[in-house]
């Protein structure tokens, strides 16, 4: 009988908000998934505070915006060929909590270091910081300029493969 606290090695959860770092996080997940025999679960969450204003909020559909952002990020990361078994989830609620919840019993969570939020000088955004502090599985934080091995962005891998005897 399997212990209920054992890790489900079949999932890598990725936080997606449409930022460059989240697109790179998707690419990292695709590079790592075969190593772990895992599928990728891309998660986006939307959250807004109810505010009294003259703006007609009824015309705005945050879930549709979140789905559109997810679709765009997946397309940017993989083009017309997403990884086999890729699942996408769109949740209403706090993004950090959505990732932490989705990461329960996952092999790992991968997030970008900075999302779309405010303070560009910080090393970690609030979502990545919360995941690092509270997730029950390992968390890989992808920083700006970080490239996944084996991707078209992987300059080091290209250089290594062009060396004599590296085939």
């Amino acid at each position: 009988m399997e212990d209920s606290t054992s890790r489900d090695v079949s999932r890598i959860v990725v936080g997606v908000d449409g930022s460059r770092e989240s697109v790179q996080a998707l690419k990292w997940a695709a590079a790592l998934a075969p190593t772990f025999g895992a599928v990728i679960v891309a998660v986006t969450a939307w959250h807004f505070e109810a505010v009294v204003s003259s703006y007609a909020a009824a015309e705005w559909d945050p879930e549709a915006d979140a789905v559109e952002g997810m679709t765009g990020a997946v397309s940017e990361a993989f083009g017309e060929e997403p990884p086999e078994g890729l699942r996408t989830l769109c949740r209403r609620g706090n993004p950090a909590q959505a990732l932490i919840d989705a990461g329960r019993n996952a092999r790992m969570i991968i997030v970008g270091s900075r999302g779309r939020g405010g303070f560009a000088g910080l090393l970690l955004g609030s979502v990545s910081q919360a995941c690092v502090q509270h997730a029950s599985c390992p968390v890989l934080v992808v920083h700006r300029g970080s490239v996944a091995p084996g991707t078209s962005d992987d300059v080091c891998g290209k250089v290594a493969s062009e060396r004599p005897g590296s085939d």
Side-chain angles (χ1 to χ4, degrees), residues 6-138:
S6 67
R7 256 191 202 100
D8 174 1
V9 294
S10 64
R11 292 183 296 122
I12 295 177
V13 174
V14 183
V16 177
D17 65 0
S19 66
R20 281 187 283 189
E21 288 84 354
S22 73
V23 171
Q24 286 299 325
L26 284 166
K27 291 179 180 182
W28 272 95
L32 293 172
T35 302
F36 296 115
V39 296
I40 300 167
V41 179
V43 177
T44 191
W46 56 272
H47 175 74
F48 68 93
E49 299 294 327
V51 187
V52 177
S53 76
S54 60
Y55 177 72
E59 296 176 19
W60 177 49
D61 185 351
E63 184 173 12
D65 283 353
V67 169
E68 183 179 325
M70 172 73 81
T71 302
V74 169
S75 178
E76 185 177 342
F78 307 121
E80 297 296 319
E81 298 180 31
E84 186 175 336
L86 172 72
R87 293 187 339 200
T88 60
L89 299 175
C90 181
R91 299 282 186 247
R92 179 180 181 170
N94 178 284
Q97 193 60 55
L99 287 167
I100 292 165
D101 291 345
R104 283 196 180 91
N105 299 318
R107 180 67 176 127
M108 73 172 51
I109 295 173
I110 304 178
V111 292
S113 60
R114 302 283 319 135
R116 297 228 177 249
F119 304 101
L122 296 176
L123 293 176
L124 291 179
S126 60
V127 173
S128 55
Q129 182 72 40
C131 289
V132 167
Q133 290 179 333
H134 301 290
S136 60
C137 64

